[in-house]
Amino acid sequence: MSSSSTTEPRRTALDALHRSLGATMTDFAGWDMPLRYGSERDEHLAVRTKAGLFDLSHMGEITVTGPQAAALLNHALVGNIGSVGVGRARYTMICREDGGILDDLIVYRLGETEYLVVANASNAQVVLDSLVERSAGFDAEVRDDRDAYALLAVQGPESPGILASLTDADLDGLKYYAGLPGTVAGVPALIARTGYTGEDGFELFVKPEHAVELWQALTKAGEGVGLVPCGLSCRDTLRLEAGMPLYGHELSTALTPFDAGLGRVVKFEKEGDFVGRAALAEAAERAVSAPPRVLVGLVAEGRRVPRAGYPVVADGQVIGEVTSGAPSPTLGKPIAMAYVDAAHSTPGTAGVGVDIRGSHEPYEVVALPFYKRQK
């Protein structure tokens, strides 16, 4: 798995299909991925109102098995993975000894002694190496399964109906952050009720050789209800509206989960030691006594779009930095997530702006998320 700088980008099992659909392709974390098929705004709104179909095969799947699989994951990750029931999933993080975030993850418990860890594409190798290193002394095996899976996601209010027409799996009984093995359009799949859009939806883990067949079956099933293929560009605006962090933007090794406002994922009460425990305990205390910068939402009063790295200002002073910014198709205004000084983090705080190429554009501080779907 060499880096993308020296090799051609990797291609998913759906590569030829994306090109036949006229997708604009881009290099993302060493993979050639569809950025958009047509209008990213149309794709975004389709997911919010109907349904969208995504290829997420760039995500990094790592299988952990063995009698001490749960104990290994409890040691290696900040969450209490041992308490996850079979068929359930948990959002968690893997941190360094100093508490810095290496990646945020979803861990699925597939069986009594089998777990599927899903890492971000850009961090998959780091997570794999860390898990292998941390597995020393545990009766458990860490397996690189990145080539064993293709991952398709169908997201949006019409997604349960689309999927229900192709499977006899109990979708009604499938809770958010749960997964079950089933068959979709004749293809064996792990069906998970997870996603990164703020909408109801499903992620389908299948063998790469079944990806095209499944994509075509989902496309056909969604024809009458407005399903469209969607690229990474609208996935980014969807997750931004939903206030979901993106590694490399809201999360990094320079931040602990407490700095990112996600201290709830760290479970100090679990049995045994875990990597980063001491540093994270200190970070938890700091977050209470003197909170550092706080992650907030910003909504533009004007039309100019903020981008990652732009300074957030108040009274002529820099008080923070934008981590993600984009036009919001749902709100009809530019929005951003930013880390700002605690004194300016309360929703409605007056006088906050973003320095966009020397011009201080006014922004309203709001609570995250920007968008919450109606249940």
Side-chain angles (χ1 to χ4, degrees):
M1 301 289 173
S2 53
S3 75
S4 58
S5 57
T6 53
T7 55
E8 287 292 304
R10 298 181 66 188
R11 297 185 171 198
T12 78
L14 294 159
D15 185 76
L17 198 149
H18 298 317
R19 292 168 196 278
S20 75
L21 292 171
T24 301
M25 305 295 286
T26 189
D27 183 348
F28 183 82
W31 289 83
D32 220 3
M33 297 297 294
L35 193 60
R36 70 182 75 81
Y37 298 84
S39 149
E40 55 205 46
R41 184 177 177 277
D42 290 350
E43 291 172 24
H44 179 112
L45 293 172
V47 175
R48 286 274 176 263
T49 60
K50 300 182 178 82
L53 180 57
F54 297 83
D55 177 9
L56 306 179
S57 303
H58 60 311
M59 300 297 280
E61 294 90 2
I62 301 161
T63 302
V64 180
T65 55
Q68 290 188 297
L72 161 58
L73 290 170
N74 268 358
H75 164 69
L77 312 179
V78 301
N80 187 353
I81 307 306
S83 68
V84 179
V86 174
R88 298 308 303 261
R90 182 149 305 161
Y91 176 78
T92 187
M93 294 184 184
I94 181 167
C95 290
R96 301 193 306 195
E97 198 65 68
D98 67 1
I101 303 166
L102 283 171
D103 201 13
D104 62 335
L105 310 164
I106 295 181
V107 179
Y108 298 88
R109 187 170 191 175
L110 304 183
E112 204 52 49
T113 59
E114 184 180 7
Y115 295 82
L116 179 65
V117 177
V118 182
N120 285 296
S122 54
N123 298 328
Q125 191 64 48
V126 169
V127 173
L128 177 68
D129 293 345
S130 299
L131 287 175
V132 168
E133 188 183 316
R134 295 173 188 189
S135 68
F138 288 93
D139 185 6
E141 184 200 349
V142 177
R143 189 172 72 230
D144 180 358
D145 266 349
R146 282 176 286 183
D147 293 336
Y149 290 102
L151 176 56
L152 280 64
V154 55
Q155 298 278 306
E158 296 288 353
S159 58
I162 292 168
L163 200 57
S165 71
L166 297 172
T167 182
D168 56 8
D170 177 19
L171 299 184
D172 289 340
L174 188 64
K175 296 185 176 76
Y176 186 51
Y177 266 72
L180 84 174
T183 306
V184 182
V187 170
L190 169 64
I191 305 167
R193 199 163 210 150
T194 44
Y196 195 48
T197 62
E199 296 300 335
D200 191 11
F202 303 87
E203 296 183 321
L204 307 169
F205 295 83
V206 298
K207 287 183 176 173
E209 57 265 34
H210 293 145
V212 171
E213 177 187 346
L214 182 56
W215 179 284
Q216 290 171 336
L218 288 162
T219 300
K220 196 165 179 356
E223 266 171 8
V225 291
L227 174 85
V228 300
C230 293
L232 294 183
S233 188
C234 84
R235 189 168 186 250
D236 192 45
T237 53
L238 288 159
R239 70 91 196 166
L240 176 54
E241 286 185 351
M244 294 175 167
L246 174 63
Y247 196 90
H249 289 257
E250 289 72 39
L251 308 175
S252 73
T253 50
L255 298 168
T256 72
F258 294 94
D259 297 325
L262 292 164
R264 64 180 181 275
V265 305
V266 182
K267 304 300 182 190
F268 294 113
E269 71 277 10
K270 66 181 175 177
E271 279 181 35
D273 196 17
F274 63 91
V275 178
R277 178 192 270 272
L280 288 167
E282 286 177 25
E285 279 180 32
R286 277 198 311 274
V288 174
S289 57
R293 288 182 164 175
V294 178
L295 189 64
V296 300
L298 299 173
V299 177
E301 292 179 21
R303 308 303 310 163
R304 297 184 71 186
V305 178
R307 298 295 182 195
Y310 285 11
V312 181
V313 291
D315 304 320
Q317 302 293 312
V318 174
I319 58 151
E321 186 176 292
V322 171
T323 52
S324 297
S328 163
T330 305
L331 275 63
K333 297 174 178 179
I335 58 171
M337 285 200 275
Y339 282 108
V340 301
D341 294 346
H344 293 88
S345 64
T346 308
T349 301
V352 173
V354 175
D355 184 338
I356 300 183
R357 299 189 189 89
S359 166
H360 291 188
E361 302 286 330
Y363 273 74
E364 182 190 355
V365 178
V366 300
L368 292 169
F370 301 96
Y371 166 85
K372 213 168 192 170
R373 72 182 172 95
Q374 303 303 307
K375 292 283 187 250

